[in-house]
Amino acid sequence: MKKKFLAGALTAAMMTGMFTPAMVSADDMTTLSLWIPTLATYSDEAVAEVQDKINEYMGEKYGIQVDLEYVEIGNFEQAINLAMTTDEVDVTCYFTGDGQLSTYVSNGQLLDITDYFENASDDLKNTFTDAEITASSMNGRMYGLVRKYQYGGHETAVLNKDICDEMGIDAKSITTMDELEEVLYQVHEKYSDIYTIVPQSMAEMTWAWTAICDKGIGLTNYAYADWGTTELKSLFETQGFADFCKYTNKWYNDGLVMPDALSNTMEGSSMVTAGSAFCTLHNGDVDPLDALYPNTVETSVIAPARAISTDIGNLQYGISANSAHPEEAFTLLGAMYTDPEFATLLAYGIEGEHYVLNDKDRAEYPEGMTAETEPYGGFSATATYADFLILPVKETALYEDAKQTVEDWDAGVEVSPAFGFFYDTSDKADFLTAYSNLEDKYENALMTGSVALDDVLPQIKSELESIGFYDVLAETQTALDEYLANK
């Protein structure tokens, strides 16, 4: 149960750094719920133990308590949408890859934090670039803080290491979809008892959208463009989507794609690690994927590093508009980006139990522990935490300075020409619902190869026409053209 904090003067003291533990007893502290999507396994016992350590620290330093809520990433969006209708969640992660920021703001689900941010410490304000602030803003108002991470990504593939070793497959020699296809057929012929290729997550064939098209233009969920162009289309009419689906449809018909891909509930990397699958497509970045996923090897880059409009802020943390404690929630939000001790507890767990620092001050698993046996999964997959740049560098990292590495990476990423463009769709609720339903109906079936695009494209175009898609797209195109002309 949440307990009401002595807001007024005490909250002001917290925000100005004048708070001392003696000001309030533990029983009077506000407990704030923090929702985080999981990419790994967390045992209830480990979460409870880490939460106790966090609350000991947060109580002494900030006078607040934290209730950790971990939700499997495939169910996360649905879970927070429900939770944000009440005061059940205070601070939450959310994704923006399909225009969700616009939706959350239009629905009144996210708190406007502009004034809080403007009055925050320089330490917090200087954490974010102008581009990152733009990525979490609409109409000049901020609604969250973006994950401090490299943005954009290239497409790569994760392969089972045992099979590659046995067959003499050099993963790093694979640089194109054609070269990947050749290897997939070789493996399928020899290992017909396992899945040759599986979706990256659930029924989603890949998250590496920049290998396919420029997605989410104007923070929408319906406007796409082929990479390097600004001509808006439906997803299904981009050349990149058609090219991708030709590969997967061929693979599906030849038995390479898992036949029940549309009902898959697992992460592809987990199946590759376990040996029940050979390959999954993946979005690559500065972290070597074969270090994150045991018994895997990663191919070379199949499609170059690019950033679509939502990539810079594709994962953000914000405050639910229904939070009963917005000031305290902003204190928690800020600490996630500026307090290394809190951030490390949250992401890695307890030193000596869930990770250790070696003689190079790098983080690694305690002796005898692996990603499979470590009970607090954050150390295995830090991608969903707010700021990995303030965490101890992992032993497996191929860099010495995370901040410099990320800045160098970002400098080499090609950014969508539509970045910064926002198109207000708040008056198009019925259209957005209709389009979302249409895309849900076809997208995964086409991307997994279960259905051939040529067979259904005429029907898709007819359905798009019936919901007024092309009229809305023309309006969006006009607005984008005006934005680009004045940029």
Side-chain angles (χ1 to χ4, degrees), residues 252-292:
Y252 187 89
N253 289 336
D254 290 344
L256 277 66
V257 178
M258 64 185 303
D260 54 347
L262 289 176
S263 59
N264 178 47
T265 60
M266 297 184 66
E267 296 295 317
S269 53
S270 298
M271 287 187 275
V272 173
T273 291
S276 58
F278 170 68
C279 170
T280 186
L281 295 170
H282 214 290
N283 49 310
D285 52 39
V286 299
D287 289 321
L289 296 176
D290 45 15
L292 293 177

Side-chain angles (χ1 to χ4, degrees), residues 241-467:
F241 185 79
D243 292 343
F244 184 87
C245 292
K246 283 180 182 177
Y247 281 108
T248 59
N249 183 241
K250 178 184 177 184
W251 300 344
Y252 187 89
N253 289 336
D254 290 344
L256 277 66
V257 178
M258 64 185 303
D260 54 347
L262 289 176
S263 59
N264 178 47
T265 60
M266 297 184 66
E267 296 295 317
S269 53
S270 298
M271 287 187 275
V272 173
T273 291
S276 58
F278 170 68
C279 170
T280 186
L281 295 170
H282 214 290
N283 49 310
D285 52 39
V286 299
D287 289 321
L289 296 176
D290 45 15
L292 293 177
Y293 307 119
N295 194 35
T296 68
V297 288
E298 183 181 2
T299 67
S300 290
V301 174
I302 294 174
R306 299 165 173 159
I308 58 179
S309 296
T310 54
D311 269 348
I312 296 179
N314 67 351
L315 186 155
Q316 304 182 17
Y317 278 86
I319 299 171
S320 169
N322 283 320
S323 171
H325 310 284
E327 292 184 349
E328 295 87 344
F330 188 79
T331 297
L332 172 60
L333 182 64
M336 295 170 68
Y337 293 84
T338 60
D339 190 325
E341 186 166 349
F342 169 51
T344 302
L345 270 170
L346 189 62
Y348 287 179
I350 300 170
E351 184 178 356
E353 293 189 34
H354 308 119
Y355 77 98
V356 294
L357 294 178
N358 60 26
D359 56 6
K360 297 179 291 185
D361 283 331
R362 284 186 165 231
E364 59 185 4
Y365 289 113
E367 185 176 356
M369 187 176 286
T370 66
E372 288 74 33
T373 60
E374 195 273 295
Y376 187 77
F379 186 68
S380 301
T382 56
T384 58
Y385 291 93
D387 189 354
F388 91 101
L389 304 184
I390 60 175
L391 304 176
V393 175
K394 292 182 182 181
E395 175 59 28
T396 55
L398 300 180
Y399 50 78
E400 294 297 327
D401 185 326
K403 184 174 184 297
Q404 187 62 54
T405 300
V406 167
E407 288 176 353
D408 291 344
W409 165 276
D410 291 349
V413 173
E414 184 182 354
V415 177
S416 164
F419 175 69
F421 169 63
F422 165 67
Y423 187 65
D424 186 0
T425 56
S426 59
D427 62 343
K428 296 178 172 58
D430 291 343
F431 163 77
L432 294 175
T433 299
Y435 180 81
S436 179
N437 291 338
L438 190 155
E439 198 167 278
D440 288 346
K441 178 180 176 181
Y442 292 105
E443 179 188 328
N444 285 339
L446 290 166
M447 290 188 70
T448 59
S450 308
V451 175
L453 179 60
D454 288 344
D455 291 345
V456 295
L457 188 55
Q459 176 63 27
I460 291 174
K461 288 181 177 181
S462 176
E463 293 183 36
L464 289 170
E465 184 72 41
S466 70
I467 65 172

Side-chain angles (χ1 to χ4, degrees), residues 226-247:
D226 281 304
W227 195 261
T229 77
T230 56
E231 179 186 356
L232 301 185
K233 300 179 180 180
S234 74
L235 167 65
F236 310 103
E237 295 170 279
T238 61
Q239 188 61 50
F241 185 79
D243 292 343
F244 184 87
C245 292
K246 283 180 182 177
Y247 281 108

Side-chain angles (χ1 to χ4, degrees), residues 182-224:
E182 183 179 350
V183 169
L184 292 179
Y185 277 96
Q186 291 172 2
V187 171
H188 179 66
E189 183 176 354
K190 185 169 183 178
Y191 292 92
S192 58
D193 58 331
I194 67 169
Y195 301 128
T196 309
I197 184 167
V198 294
Q200 180 173 349
S201 177
M202 310 292 279
E204 295 178 282
M205 200 63 185
T206 182
W207 291 349
W209 275 96
T210 56
I212 301 170
C213 59
D214 195 350
K215 177 187 181 186
I217 294 172
L219 302 185
T220 68
N221 66 351
Y222 60 85
Y224 298 77

